[in-house]
Amino acid sequence: MTGPRYTRLAETLPSDVPFVGPEVQERRMGRPFRARLGANESVFGPSPKAIEALHAAAPDVWMYADATSHALKQALAAEMGARPENIVIGGGIDGLLGNLVRLLVEPGDPVVTSKGAYPTFNYHVTGFGGMLHKVPFRDDREDLPALIDRARETRAKLIYLSNPDNPMGSWYAGREIEAALDTLPEGTLLLLDEAYIEFAPEGTAPRIDPDDPRVIRMRTFSKARGMAGLRVGYATGAPALIRAFDKVRDHFGMTRPAQAAALAALQDAGWLAQVQDAVAASRDRIGRIGRAHGLTPLPSATNFVALDCGGDGAHAKAVLDALVARGVFVRMPFEAPQNRCIRVSCGRPADLDVFEEVLPLALADVKAAAAG
Amino acid sequence: MTGPRYTRLAETLPSDVPFVGPEVQERRMGRPFRARLGANESVFGPSPKAIEALHAAAPDVWMYADATSHALKQALAAEMGARPENIVIGGGIDGLLGNLVRLLVEPGDPVVTSKGAYPTFNYHVTGFGGMLHKVPFRDDREDLPALIDRARETRAKLIYLSNPDNPMGSWYAGREIEAALDTLPEGTLLLLDEAYIEFAPEGTAPRIDPDDPRVIRMRTFSKARGMAGLRVGYATGAPALIRAFDKVRDHFGMTRPAQAAALAALQDAGWLAQVQDAVAASRDRIGRIGRAHGLTPLPSATNFVALDCGGDGAHAKAVLDALVARGVFVRMPFEAPQNRCIRVSCGRPADLDVFEEVLPLALADVKAAAAG
């Protein structure tokens, strides 16, 4: 008895997980983290109106959700200055990335991203056999002109740009992206990942006609809206591209409570403003805590701060491991030179109290190990 | 400015939706259905324990869910007499079907199913460029020996079999499937869709070693567990095949409330038994209502009944349209000769009261239209 016959592509793929989640680490350690500051979740939670909507939706989960997400699309169209035809809803940006890559990328097709940018995008490109071309960050920022040049050289079908950027927290002004659009090679789609846009300064979001066929922008309810565990993302783009998602998406794949909660969250601008304020205050405090112990915070337009540990990747990894061992869940960039930093998500005052308590102990652990 | 360059495969795919949902129909009609009996949902709802779990999970949705679904896999392993390594959790059977087809099927690869079996499976096979070979139903049942013969002739990578079957409600005894396994061609995987298994007579589920590399079985919380709107399905199979899902699945794609609710539902055997009883009673009553008006109910091992309208597909479609126009959401098989039937999902007494009231009116509408 033999097993199934996989595709040639599937045979080549690793059974990798892009990220190891905090629950897996907690089971390995045998105890829970004291502060969960590693996944850029919003510890501040969702709008109370979204939580109400979840409670209200609980008895209705026997029904499949509306496969067209009609009500949510209407609300997002208003939010984005677009029409419902410009919008597709999916299982977080991750799910939408998978759909988009499947629509565009076949084995050998070139795709451009930054070295050290979002690994789940790379996972999807590799998963469909695409050829990734990686451009180094410049001054801790994704290098937009170089990405476009590389796309021209390689005839890439797709460029990935996150603005603001994960894992460094850097950003472009919207007008710089608007100007760059006119330098895009013909037939290259710019994928603009705006997962963190709600935390960025005014003017960071470019003004782009939603019907512009050169760009697709993706946003999420996982970050500022505090609903990572509900998997709601959305993309805006030209109607022909948006319609194409219907060729490959899992039409009945959205959960009913998630759609209800997203709709309710959109109607609570006050909560969003509170979270934005709390995140700004938290960023400042993470910076102060880092500086107090010799780390250098990078400017951030997101809900996390990259702290330069002042050494190489191995040093930052030692700091990270020491923090994790002492119960603080944080992550760090994968690639040099960004991996001289650790990445700390914003938290409530109590979470940052733990970070403030543990950081000097972790740094002392690292120093002792180096001396020992 | 041109749009993006799609894959050659994506260019050939239709922007089709496998099913038009009831909400879309309600918006077209401008009013809600009086009875929702078309999607084989469980009108009886989920276990009260699952609803409690949803309420308890609401404040935690800011966290990504455990990407390994550790707790749920442990519980399902116990339920299935398997190990966690035999189990993968996904976004309903629909999501798992997409993953499995992606792992096995590349353009031109042969796949065998029944003419008129689950359209979403076909959607995925077509979506990855597979070549569908369709075997007719025999006596209103999927024809297992003929499916296996066809797989041998075509060297198919995959056979789809639902047991019990949708849309007819028919079934094989488990021992017949066990015997058929030994006639499977080498290198053909049997995909056993057991979405409705909890409604079937004792002995319908075959006894299969979870490590058997010739079979993958899929089950869901959407039917007997009453959680269609939460998107939780699972597959059991040999560890190598199960691990392969990690190459392509959306690792953080499950929602947190859904995992919590599924875990709670598994612990409520009493609720499941109640639903099974209610479904059995409802099936009987749908049969009686049909017979009282000249329709012939087919035996069913599911939570729906196919009612033979005594004519051809056009006649059954006229009956269906008349029911829908009068506020009863039902569906029907797509292919002849099964499309002589309408398919009515089980419901609460109040839902079936509506069906009982409306059916004779709908049949009169059809008669009047034929006479007019």
Side-chain angles (χ1 to χ4, degrees):
Chain A
M1 293 193 303
T2 58
R5 289 171 283 153
Y6 299 98
T7 66
R8 289 164 295 179
L9 176 59
E11 291 282 6
T12 69
L13 298 175
S15 282
D16 266 4
V17 181
F19 295 103
V20 178
E23 286 83 1
V24 174
Q25 299 183 48
E26 288 174 335
R27 280 192 298 273
R28 281 183 198 152
M29 298 189 300
R31 61 177 195 283
F33 281 115
R34 294 178 60 202
R36 183 166 163 134
L37 302 172
N40 301 343
E41 296 157 327
S42 184
V43 182
F44 309 101
S47 154
K49 294 204 169 94
I51 293 183
E52 263 172 53
L54 288 174
H55 290 304
D60 292 339
V61 297
W62 61 272
M63 290 182 272
Y64 289 99
D66 175 10
T68 66
S69 299
H70 182 80
L72 185 53
K73 266 193 202 170
Q74 296 278 341
L76 285 170
E79 173 91 3
M80 299 297 290
R83 291 166 298 137
E85 292 75 24
N86 295 115
I87 294 175
V88 57
I89 316 278
I93 288 179
D94 285 1
L96 292 166
L97 288 175
N99 289 337
L100 179 69
V101 170
R102 180 173 163 194
L103 284 171
L104 265 59
V105 177
E106 56 185 74
D109 277 347
V111 173
V112 171
T113 184
S114 301
K115 187 166 176 262
Y118 192 46
T120 305
F121 176 71
N122 300 355
Y123 169 80
H124 289 302
V125 173
T126 304
F128 287 102
M131 175 80 71
L132 276 165
H133 296 273
K134 296 183 183 177
V135 172
F137 276 55
R138 171 189 293 258
D139 300 332
D140 295 322
R141 200 165 71 152
E142 295 183 12
D143 189 345
L144 181 53
L147 288 163
I148 291 175
D149 285 348
R150 187 67 68 89
R152 186 171 294 105
E153 287 159 30
T154 59
R155 290 191 39 79
K157 283 183 159 177
L158 192 59
I159 296 175
Y160 176 88
L161 179 78
S162 60
N163 190 53
D165 153 69
N166 177 21
M168 302 310 276
S170 57
W171 67 101
Y172 282 92
R175 64 178 184 285
E176 297 175 280
I177 294 172
E178 290 159 22
L181 281 189
D182 291 327
T183 69
L184 270 181
E186 191 76 10
T188 296
L189 183 73
L190 178 66
L191 160 55
L192 187 58
D193 179 344
E194 298 186 315
Y196 298 96
I197 194 73
E198 294 92 343
F199 304 117
E202 191 68 33
T204 303
R207 274 164 301 190
I208 299 174
D209 181 343
D211 288 336
D212 192 322
R214 299 170 301 180
V215 189
I216 186 167
R217 60 206 299 174
M218 296 192 182
R219 295 190 179 181
T220 180
F221 286 81
S222 296
K223 304 301 176 186
R225 302 290 185 174
M227 294 165 38
L230 289 178
R231 316 311 302 126
V232 187
Y234 54 104
T236 56
L241 174 56
I242 296 303
R243 260 196 319 275
F245 279 77
D246 276 342
K247 299 179 173 194
V248 298
R249 73 187 186 93
D250 189 1
H251 289 264
F252 288 87
M254 297 297 294
T255 77
R256 199 168 178 99
Q259 298 207 50
L263 191 57
L266 275 182
Q267 278 138 25
D268 194 350
W271 180 258
L272 179 62
Q274 272 188 56
V275 170
Q276 288 166 324
D277 289 347
V279 162
S282 180
R283 275 192 311 233
D284 289 347
R285 186 168 170 212
I286 293 170
R288 285 196 304 274
I289 295 170
R291 264 196 212 94
H293 299 286
L295 313 188
T296 308
L298 274 59
S300 169
T302 65
N303 71 337
F304 59 84
V305 178
L307 292 173
D308 184 338
C309 296
D312 61 3
H315 175 65
K317 179 66 166 50
V319 175
L320 179 138
D321 287 344
L323 284 166
V324 166
R326 289 179 174 275
V328 177
F329 170 51
V330 291
R331 286 201 173 119
M332 64 180 287
F334 294 103
E335 298 276 358
Q338 298 96 277
N339 67 356
R340 70 190 189 282
C341 300
I342 57 170
R343 194 195 67 182
V344 183
S345 305
C346 291
R348 294 160 298 201
D351 302 306
L352 297 192
D353 289 349
V354 173
F355 178 61
E356 185 161 34
E357 170 200 330
V358 167
L359 179 64
L361 304 173
L363 291 170
D365 292 344
V366 173
K367 205 164 178 181
Chain B
M1 296 192 301
T2 58
R5 288 172 284 153
Y6 298 100
T7 67
R8 288 164 296 179
L9 176 58
E11 290 281 7
T12 70
L13 298 175
S15 282
D16 265 4
V17 182
F19 294 103
V20 177
E23 287 83 2
V24 174
Q25 299 182 48
E26 287 174 335
R27 281 193 298 273
R28 281 183 198 153
M29 296 189 299
R31 61 178 195 280
F33 281 115
R34 294 178 61 200
R36 183 167 163 134
L37 302 173
N40 301 342
E41 297 156 329
S42 183
V43 183
F44 309 101
S47 154
K49 294 202 169 95
I51 293 182
E52 263 174 51
L54 288 174
H55 289 303
D60 292 340
V61 296
W62 63 271
M63 291 183 271
Y64 289 100
D66 175 11
T68 66
S69 299
H70 182 79
L72 186 53
K73 266 193 202 171
Q74 296 278 341
L76 285 171
E79 172 92 4
M80 298 296 291
R83 291 167 296 136
E85 292 73 26
N86 295 115
I87 293 175
V88 57
I89 316 278
I93 289 180
D94 285 0
L96 292 165
L97 287 175
N99 290 336
L100 179 69
V101 170
R102 180 173 163 194
L103 284 170
L104 265 59
V105 176
E106 56 184 73
D109 277 349
V111 174
V112 171
T113 186
S114 301
K115 186 165 175 263
Y118 192 44
T120 304
F121 176 71
N122 300 355
Y123 169 80
H124 289 303
V125 172
T126 304
F128 286 102
M131 176 80 70
L132 277 165
H133 297 273
K134 297 183 182 175
V135 172
F137 276 55
R138 172 190 294 260
D139 300 333
D140 294 321
R141 202 166 69 154
E142 296 183 11
D143 188 346
L144 180 53
L147 288 164
I148 291 175
D149 286 347
R150 186 69 67 89
R152 186 172 295 105
E153 289 159 27
T154 59
R155 292 190 38 78
K157 283 183 160 179
L158 192 58
I159 296 176
Y160 175 88
L161 179 78
S162 60
N163 190 55
D165 153 69
N166 176 21
M168 302 309 276
S170 57
W171 68 101
Y172 282 91
R175 64 176 187 286
E176 297 175 280
I177 294 173
E178 291 160 21
L181 281 188
D182 291 326
T183 68
L184 269 180
E186 193 76 10
T188 296
L189 183 72
L190 177 65
L191 159 56
L192 187 58
D193 178 344
E194 298 186 315
Y196 298 97
I197 193 72
E198 294 92 345
F199 304 117
E202 192 70 33
T204 304
R207 273 165 303 191
I208 299 174
D209 181 343
D211 288 336
D212 191 322
R214 300 171 298 179
V215 189
I216 186 164
R217 59 206 300 174
M218 296 192 181
R219 296 190 178 180
T220 181
F221 287 81
S222 297
K223 304 301 178 186
R225 302 291 186 176
M227 293 164 38
L230 289 178
R231 317 310 304 129
V232 187
Y234 54 105
T236 57
L241 174 56
I242 295 303
R243 261 197 317 277
F245 278 78
D246 276 342
K247 299 180 174 195
V248 298
R249 73 186 184 94
D250 188 4
H251 290 265
F252 288 87
M254 297 297 294
T255 77
R256 200 169 177 99
Q259 298 208 50
L263 191 56
L266 274 181
Q267 278 138 23
D268 194 350
W271 179 258
L272 179 61
Q274 273 187 54
V275 170
Q276 288 166 324
D277 289 348
V279 162
S282 179
R283 275 193 309 235
D284 288 347
R285 187 169 169 210
I286 293 169
R288 284 196 304 275
I289 294 170
R291 266 197 211 93
H293 299 286
L295 312 187
T296 308
L298 274 60
S300 168
T302 66
N303 71 338
F304 59 84
V305 178
L307 292 173
D308 184 338
C309 296
D312 60 5
H315 175 66
K317 179 65 164 50
V319 175
L320 179 138
D321 288 342
L323 284 165
V324 165
R326 288 179 175 276
V328 177
F329 170 51
V330 291
R331 286 200 175 120
M332 64 180 288
F334 294 104
E335 299 276 356
Q338 298 97 277
N339 67 357
R340 70 189 190 281
C341 300
I342 58 170
R343 195 194 68 183
V344 182
S345 303
C346 291
R348 295 159 297 199
D351 302 305
L352 297 192
D353 289 348
V354 173
F355 179 61
E356 186 162 33
E357 171 200 329
V358 166
L359 179 63
L361 303 174
L363 292 171
D365 292 344
V366 173
K367 206 165 178 180

